[in-house]
Amino acid sequence: MPRPAAQIESMTLPLLPLPQQIERGTGEFQFTPATVIFAEHSFAASARFLSDLIGLAFGAQPPPVEALATEPPDGSVVLRRDPSRKGHGPEAYELQISPTRITISADAAAGAFYGVQTLRQLLPPALEYEALRAARRNPPPIVLPALVVRDSPRFAWRGAMLDVARHFLTVEEVKRYVDLMALHKLNRLHMHLADDQGWRIEIKSWPNLTVLGGSSEVGGGPGGFYSQEQYAAIVTYAADRFITIVPEIDMPGHTNAALASYPELNCDGVARPVFTGTEVGFSALCVEKEITYTFIDDVVGEISSITPGPYFHVGGDEVKALTPGQYLGFVDRVQAIVQKHGKQMIGWDEIAPANLVPTSIIQHWRPKTTPAEAMTKGVKVIMSVASKAYLDMKYDAATPIGLTWAGIVNVQTSYEWDPGTAAEGVPAASVLGVEGPLWSETIANIRDFEYLAFPRLAALAEAAWSPQSSRTWEEFRVRLGLQNARWTALGLNFYRSPEVPWR
Ligand code: TNX
């Protein structure tokens, strides 16, 4: 017999993703206008994040952040370095709430940040509401139950992907998505920066890519692109939230925007017309021409030089215009170029048969295939199986936006799967993690992006973070319902799925 939602709710804290271990204590901690946050030097940024968030409760003055020196007085919030957490990885933390103090301990800054995100989810949701913050009226009291949370992620790769090629998102919109990712302890933002319908990143040595290739999008809208400075600003903003940007330039297919911008990239030397439809598979770089590899070397080089993260995604999906031999030879050459620029190559699962080096990574997306043949090469796999993880699938037949080629993906479907066993012949030890791609053929603005991403991205975040043995749909749907207040305060345009008891 499933337990009634109300019974689960009474025992449930609004934490998402579910931490590894929660122990309830007795008593409570109360913030007062005298509360000071003491932080280890390297955790100061996370301390300020917390201070900004709770500032509202005390009028104009957020709690001061001070350097952690001697033993802080009772009533303090303390962010301290604890090397004994090291064995659990740089993202591990412990959050202790007692009547006399709150302590977040971690070995590394990422762990301290996640400890703060967990504390954040226990704070009054109204603190997230910008308008209320500005008005500084009726500050909610902040009283937290005593508890201890010990936590670290199951997977190293907890990702989301934005397709800014089919429809462009501004820098501010991407930052908004980054903020929503950080709340759910996601740590990789994969940006699909080029496709048939648009090229979205300035390449100084090939300027027409953005002058022409950046000026289109699906449906004939204005498109857009990021200057290298703007891209760098996204990288920094994300890094401040412990999110690594993973740039993707899809090739050799999905390249019409490049083929329209430069005639010499086509085998016949004739520029292709700009494309604003949604068919796939028709375009390909001319793999027999040397200029193609000069082009790729320039593009990978420029983007790699402004990308501190270790990854470069080369796409590699859905190429119908080449023979298998041409395709695999191309992937081998591109892998060498990516390595030359100091990055690890990532590609969609079509690259599995290529001569992959052990540091290359496969992103598994096609539900009816498996990249098992590549396991002997020592590569790792990111699980993005479309029938579970594709955020652009409809929630149900009535969803006004989205696609259906991989099926209908309701919230339960996106939650109830084990990334460790999602592809036959791929052992759990070879699974790097989970990523939710959001393709944008049918969606044009951040409101639409949010509607398809939430709540499913939260379900994927938990699949990526929490131990499989602790995850049940029955409990998750109740805890998901408890996100209503915070998500509403954030102005999030989430889908109020009837599968979830929203509170
Ligand atoms: C398949 S996923 C694609 C994309 C589409 C998506 C739509 C992948 C590697 N290729 O080009 O946007 O389906 O769901």
Side-chain angles (χ1 to χ4, degrees), residues 237-265:
Y237 190 86
D240 287 346
R241 289 150 186 79
F242 297 89
I243 292 170
T244 301
I245 298 294
V246 181
E248 178 189 354
I249 298 294
D250 204 343
M251 61 181 92
H254 290 276
T255 42
N256 192 78
L259 298 170
S261 303
Y262 285 97
E264 58 268 44
L265 297 176

Tab-separated table of all heavy atoms in Angstrom, residues 237-265:
chain	number	residue	atom	x	y	z
A	237	TYR	N	30.493	33.526	-14.831
A	237	TYR	CA	29.261	33.475	-14.022
A	237	TYR	C	28.980	32.031	-13.596
A	237	TYR	O	28.632	31.754	-12.445
A	237	TYR	CB	28.093	34.037	-14.834
A	237	TYR	CG	26.835	34.261	-14.031
A	237	TYR	CD1	26.645	35.452	-13.335
A	237	TYR	CD2	25.838	33.292	-13.974
A	237	TYR	CE1	25.491	35.673	-12.597
A	237	TYR	CE2	24.678	33.503	-13.235
A	237	TYR	CZ	24.514	34.696	-12.549
A	237	TYR	OH	23.369	34.907	-11.814
A	238	ALA	N	29.135	31.111	-14.532
A	238	ALA	CA	28.895	29.697	-14.233
A	238	ALA	C	29.947	29.166	-13.251
A	238	ALA	O	29.610	28.476	-12.294
A	238	ALA	CB	28.894	28.889	-15.525
A	239	ALA	N	31.201	29.528	-13.476
A	239	ALA	CA	32.284	29.035	-12.605
A	239	ALA	C	32.065	29.490	-11.170
A	239	ALA	O	32.350	28.748	-10.223
A	239	ALA	CB	33.637	29.521	-13.120
A	240	ASP	N	31.538	30.701	-11.000
A	240	ASP	CA	31.238	31.196	-9.653
A	240	ASP	C	30.194	30.320	-8.960
A	240	ASP	O	30.053	30.370	-7.736
A	240	ASP	CB	30.721	32.642	-9.713
A	240	ASP	CG	31.831	33.635	-10.027
A	240	ASP	OD1	33.020	33.248	-9.935
A	240	ASP	OD2	31.513	34.793	-10.380
A	241	ARG	N	29.453	29.576	-9.735
A	241	ARG	CA	28.430	28.658	-9.197
A	241	ARG	C	28.841	27.201	-9.373
A	241	ARG	O	28.007	26.302	-9.366
A	241	ARG	CB	27.083	28.962	-9.862
A	241	ARG	CG	26.514	30.295	-9.370
A	241	ARG	CD	25.656	31.012	-10.376
A	241	ARG	NE	25.273	32.331	-9.877
A	241	ARG	CZ	26.088	33.408	-9.904
A	241	ARG	NH1	27.288	33.321	-10.432
A	241	ARG	NH2	25.683	34.560	-9.405
A	242	PHE	N	30.131	26.989	-9.598
A	242	PHE	CA	30.718	25.652	-9.718
A	242	PHE	C	30.139	24.862	-10.887
A	242	PHE	O	29.966	23.655	-10.831
A	242	PHE	CB	30.636	24.887	-8.384
A	242	PHE	CG	31.447	25.592	-7.330
A	242	PHE	CD1	30.880	26.590	-6.540
A	242	PHE	CD2	32.805	25.335	-7.196
A	242	PHE	CE1	31.647	27.310	-5.628
A	242	PHE	CE2	33.580	26.036	-6.288
A	242	PHE	CZ	32.993	27.019	-5.503
A	243	ILE	N	29.855	25.602	-11.946
A	243	ILE	CA	29.339	24.989	-13.175
A	243	ILE	C	30.370	25.195	-14.285
A	243	ILE	O	30.822	26.312	-14.528
A	243	ILE	CB	27.981	25.602	-13.564
A	243	ILE	CG1	26.920	25.190	-12.525
A	243	ILE	CG2	27.566	25.182	-14.968
A	243	ILE	CD1	25.596	25.905	-12.656
A	244	THR	N	30.732	24.088	-14.931
A	244	THR	CA	31.694	24.109	-16.029
A	244	THR	C	30.945	24.217	-17.349
A	244	THR	O	30.021	23.441	-17.609
A	244	THR	CB	32.518	22.798	-16.027
A	244	THR	OG1	33.181	22.680	-14.770
A	244	THR	CG2	33.533	22.773	-17.154
A	245	ILE	N	31.348	25.183	-18.176
A	245	ILE	CA	30.736	25.310	-19.501
A	245	ILE	C	31.388	24.313	-20.457
A	245	ILE	O	32.616	24.206	-20.523
A	245	ILE	CB	30.902	26.741	-20.056
A	245	ILE	CG1	30.180	27.764	-19.148
A	245	ILE	CG2	30.404	26.837	-21.497
A	245	ILE	CD1	28.677	27.640	-19.102
A	246	VAL	N	30.539	23.581	-21.182
A	246	VAL	CA	30.994	22.612	-22.182
A	246	VAL	C	30.527	23.115	-23.542
A	246	VAL	O	29.335	23.030	-23.868
A	246	VAL	CB	30.387	21.220	-21.900
A	246	VAL	CG1	30.870	20.212	-22.929
A	246	VAL	CG2	30.705	20.765	-20.476
A	247	PRO	N	31.439	23.683	-24.355
A	247	PRO	CA	31.012	24.210	-25.646
A	247	PRO	C	30.846	23.080	-26.660
A	247	PRO	O	31.652	22.153	-26.694
A	247	PRO	CB	32.176	25.120	-26.047
A	247	PRO	CG	33.385	24.498	-25.408
A	247	PRO	CD	32.887	23.868	-24.122
A	248	GLU	N	29.797	23.160	-27.469
A	248	GLU	CA	29.640	22.207	-28.571
A	248	GLU	C	29.564	22.933	-29.899
A	248	GLU	O	28.751	23.853	-30.068
A	248	GLU	CB	28.371	21.348	-28.426
A	248	GLU	CG	28.204	20.377	-29.620
A	248	GLU	CD	26.868	19.635	-29.666
A	248	GLU	OE1	26.069	19.769	-28.712
A	248	GLU	OE2	26.628	18.937	-30.672
A	249	ILE	N	30.417	22.512	-30.821
A	249	ILE	CA	30.246	22.865	-32.223
A	249	ILE	C	29.941	21.552	-32.933
A	249	ILE	O	30.806	20.679	-33.047
A	249	ILE	CB	31.525	23.517	-32.813
A	249	ILE	CG1	31.854	24.829	-32.068
A	249	ILE	CG2	31.342	23.761	-34.305
A	249	ILE	CD1	30.849	25.954	-32.233
A	250	ASP	N	28.714	21.402	-33.370
A	250	ASP	CA	28.280	20.143	-33.982
A	250	ASP	C	28.906	20.028	-35.375
A	250	ASP	O	28.835	20.959	-36.170
A	250	ASP	CB	26.745	20.137	-34.047
A	250	ASP	CG	26.168	18.730	-34.104
A	250	ASP	OD1	26.913	17.770	-34.413
A	250	ASP	OD2	24.956	18.592	-33.839
A	251	MET	N	29.504	18.849	-35.652
A	251	MET	CA	30.129	18.588	-36.950
A	251	MET	C	30.240	17.078	-37.162
A	251	MET	O	30.137	16.355	-36.189
A	251	MET	CB	31.524	19.221	-36.993
A	251	MET	CG	32.476	18.657	-35.931
A	251	MET	SD	34.097	19.392	-35.949
A	251	MET	CE	33.948	20.747	-34.782
A	252	PRO	N	30.391	16.548	-38.323
A	252	PRO	CA	30.410	17.249	-39.619
A	252	PRO	C	29.016	17.617	-40.125
A	252	PRO	O	28.894	18.448	-40.999
A	252	PRO	CB	31.049	16.200	-40.539
A	252	PRO	CG	30.606	14.883	-39.942
A	252	PRO	CD	30.589	15.100	-38.456
A	253	GLY	N	27.964	16.982	-39.533
A	253	GLY	CA	26.606	17.355	-39.913
A	253	GLY	C	26.130	18.529	-39.073
A	253	GLY	O	26.896	19.080	-38.276
A	254	HIS	N	24.878	18.896	-39.242
A	254	HIS	CA	24.316	20.030	-38.491
A	254	HIS	C	25.149	21.296	-38.684
A	254	HIS	O	25.366	22.067	-37.750
A	254	HIS	CB	24.206	19.694	-37.000
A	254	HIS	CG	23.155	18.675	-36.683
A	254	HIS	ND1	21.830	18.991	-36.515
A	254	HIS	CD2	23.234	17.322	-36.534
A	254	HIS	CE1	21.129	17.887	-36.246
A	254	HIS	NE2	21.955	16.857	-36.266
A	255	THR	N	25.653	21.475	-39.907
A	255	THR	CA	26.611	22.566	-40.164
A	255	THR	C	26.142	23.553	-41.226
A	255	THR	O	26.947	24.299	-41.776
A	255	THR	CB	27.963	21.973	-40.613
A	255	THR	OG1	27.721	20.899	-41.538
A	255	THR	CG2	28.767	21.469	-39.439
A	256	ASN	N	24.851	23.574	-41.523
A	256	ASN	CA	24.418	24.454	-42.615
A	256	ASN	C	24.774	25.922	-42.378
A	256	ASN	O	25.085	26.645	-43.332
A	256	ASN	CB	22.915	24.328	-42.855
A	256	ASN	CG	22.494	25.005	-44.145
A	256	ASN	OD1	22.684	24.442	-45.226
A	256	ASN	ND2	21.989	26.228	-44.049
A	257	ALA	N	24.739	26.371	-41.132
A	257	ALA	CA	25.047	27.792	-40.880
A	257	ALA	C	26.487	28.115	-41.300
A	257	ALA	O	26.756	29.186	-41.852
A	257	ALA	CB	24.831	28.133	-39.407
A	258	ALA	N	27.406	27.178	-41.067
A	258	ALA	CA	28.794	27.380	-41.508
A	258	ALA	C	28.884	27.277	-43.031
A	258	ALA	O	29.580	28.063	-43.684
A	258	ALA	CB	29.717	26.357	-40.841
A	259	LEU	N	28.159	26.297	-43.601
A	259	LEU	CA	28.213	26.081	-45.055
A	259	LEU	C	27.589	27.242	-45.814
A	259	LEU	O	27.942	27.501	-46.966
A	259	LEU	CB	27.489	24.769	-45.403
A	259	LEU	CG	28.107	23.508	-44.791
A	259	LEU	CD1	27.185	22.307	-45.002
A	259	LEU	CD2	29.486	23.231	-45.380
A	260	ALA	N	26.678	27.975	-45.168
A	260	ALA	CA	26.085	29.171	-45.772
A	260	ALA	C	27.041	30.360	-45.678
A	260	ALA	O	27.050	31.240	-46.533
A	260	ALA	CB	24.756	29.499	-45.082
A	261	SER	N	27.867	30.352	-44.628
A	261	SER	CA	28.741	31.503	-44.381
A	261	SER	C	30.021	31.462	-45.215
A	261	SER	O	30.579	32.506	-45.522
A	261	SER	CB	29.122	31.535	-42.891
A	261	SER	OG	27.974	31.575	-42.081
A	262	TYR	N	30.500	30.269	-45.538
A	262	TYR	CA	31.764	30.118	-46.273
A	262	TYR	C	31.629	29.082	-47.390
A	262	TYR	O	31.609	27.875	-47.127
A	262	TYR	CB	32.888	29.726	-45.314
A	262	TYR	CG	33.337	30.908	-44.472
A	262	TYR	CD1	32.856	31.093	-43.194
A	262	TYR	CD2	34.209	31.855	-45.005
A	262	TYR	CE1	33.236	32.193	-42.427
A	262	TYR	CE2	34.601	32.969	-44.255
A	262	TYR	CZ	34.112	33.127	-42.974
A	262	TYR	OH	34.485	34.223	-42.241
A	263	PRO	N	31.591	29.543	-48.663
A	263	PRO	CA	31.428	28.599	-49.782
A	263	PRO	C	32.520	27.523	-49.820
A	263	PRO	O	32.249	26.384	-50.202
A	263	PRO	CB	31.490	29.496	-51.029
A	263	PRO	CG	31.856	30.866	-50.567
A	263	PRO	CD	31.609	30.948	-49.098
A	264	GLU	N	33.740	27.870	-49.397
A	264	GLU	CA	34.846	26.910	-49.527
A	264	GLU	C	34.708	25.693	-48.621
A	264	GLU	O	35.433	24.713	-48.782
A	264	GLU	CB	36.203	27.600	-49.297
A	264	GLU	CG	36.369	28.296	-47.953
A	264	GLU	CD	35.976	29.777	-47.952
A	264	GLU	OE1	34.918	30.113	-48.540
A	264	GLU	OE2	36.697	30.581	-47.345
A	265	LEU	N	33.791	25.723	-47.665
A	265	LEU	CA	33.588	24.553	-46.802
A	265	LEU	C	32.696	23.497	-47.470
A	265	LEU	O	32.541	22.388	-46.946
A	265	LEU	CB	32.970	24.977	-45.457
A	265	LEU	CG	33.840	25.913	-44.606
A	265	LEU	CD1	33.092	26.336	-43.342
A	265	LEU	CD2	35.175	25.254	-44.240
